Amino acid sequence: GQNIDQPTEMTATEGAIVQINCTYQTSGFNGLFWYQQHAGEAPTFLSYNVLDGLEEKGRFSSFLSRSKGYSYLLLKELQMKDSASYLCAVRDSNYQLIWGAGTKLIIKP
Amino acid sequence: IAGITQAPTSQILAAGRRMTLRCTQDMRHNAMYWYRQDLGLGLRLIHYSNTAGTTGKGEVPDGYSVSRANTDDFPLTLASAVPSQTSVYFCASSDGTSGGNEQFFGPGTRLTVL
């Protein structure tokens, strides 16, 4: 079967750095996405990785290792508005997205 | 403003009733999707459409049907609602299904079936 694993919840301090991990086992791989979802709102796109390595976009970076079936989202200089759920999704061999359950990130002052 | 709209925002429905959730996008995206999101579970694909006139079944299609008569609209119908269909439903669209084409999501419909 297909499986995406993420921690259920993480807590971090304002101004700090946090890394959210995602491991996957899917039928085929055609890219990995990270989305942010604030409570009661729709998911919004953060990043896309298809090749191994690090993609940096402002305070957010995403890393991919296809051989290990592993990705992480790195958030720097945390702000209170970063409190949200972070969703990892893999595009499988049918070009459909398989979603993890999401990691709820709590930022404390 | 370009984007995706969904209606209704929320709905309470008696079991056995028929219900259509509406989704419209104005970005001229080819692909559209319907997901349900339940607490503790990831988004699960119900049905999708890669282009107008075609539809496909996702992971959890039973009890739901869709149509794609044109590019902009992708309604989801529950023929006879059951309590297990209580969920938040998101419609999404993308310009394509490959490469870095991200999915854009509508605001969601919160459905309660009693």
Side-chain angles (χ1 to χ4, degrees), chain B residues 6-13 19 21-22 87-89 107-112:
Chain B
Q6 292 184 236
T9 302
S10 64
Q11 182 76 43
I12 299 174
L13 189 67
M19 175 76 191
L21 308 185
R22 300 184 298 278
S87 187
V88 179
Y89 291 86
T109 293
R110 184 173 297 274
L111 181 67
T112 302

Side-chain angles (χ1 to χ4, degrees), chain A residues 79-93:
Chain A
Q79 302 175 9
M80 296 304 292
K81 67 179 182 179
D82 297 330
S83 292
S85 289
Y86 291 86
L87 314 181
C88 174
V90 172
R91 181 183 281 135
D92 69 7
S93 57

Side-chain angles (χ1 to χ4, degrees), chain A residues 7-95:
Chain A
T8 302
E9 187 175 296
M10 299 181 70
T11 302
T13 304
E14 190 177 15
I17 299 173
V18 70
Q19 178 176 311
I20 301 174
N21 295 326
C22 170
T23 58
Y24 62 88
Q25 290 179 306
T26 57
S27 58
F29 178 85
N30 285 295
L32 185 143
F33 294 80
W34 284 96
Y35 279 75
Q36 181 189 59
Q37 185 177 25
H38 285 101
E41 297 183 7
T44 55
F45 171 77
L46 286 178
S47 68
Y48 169 73
N49 295 70
V50 67
L51 299 177
D52 290 351
L54 190 68
E55 294 282 343
E56 297 186 80
K57 191 185 293 187
R59 294 189 299 115
F60 293 9
S61 302
S62 56
F63 172 84
L64 174 66
S65 169
R66 289 172 295 170
S67 62
K68 295 182 179 178
Y70 168 70
S71 173
Y72 67 73
L73 181 69
L74 191 71
L75 291 75
K76 303 176 185 177
E77 301 169 12
L78 286 170
Q79 302 175 9
M80 296 304 292
K81 67 179 182 179
D82 297 330
S83 292
S85 289
Y86 291 86
L87 314 181
C88 174
V90 172
R91 181 183 281 135
D92 69 7
S93 57
N94 293 319
Y95 290 91

Side-chain angles (χ1 to χ4, degrees), chain B residues 1-55:
Chain B
I1 298 176
I4 302 181
T5 59
Q6 292 184 236
T9 302
S10 64
Q11 182 76 43
I12 299 174
L13 189 67
R17 298 295 296 269
R18 181 184 179 91
M19 175 76 191
T20 295
L21 308 185
R22 300 184 298 278
C23 175
T24 300
Q25 54 103 358
D26 62 2
M27 297 177 282
R28 308 302 295 171
H29 283 170
N30 288 317
M32 297 188 75
Y33 315 84
W34 273 106
Y35 291 96
R36 60 179 289 172
Q37 187 175 41
D38 301 290
L39 197 63
L41 299 177
L43 289 161
R44 291 184 291 168
L45 184 65
I46 304 171
H47 285 285
Y48 64 93
S49 169
N50 288 334
T51 189
T54 69
T55 62

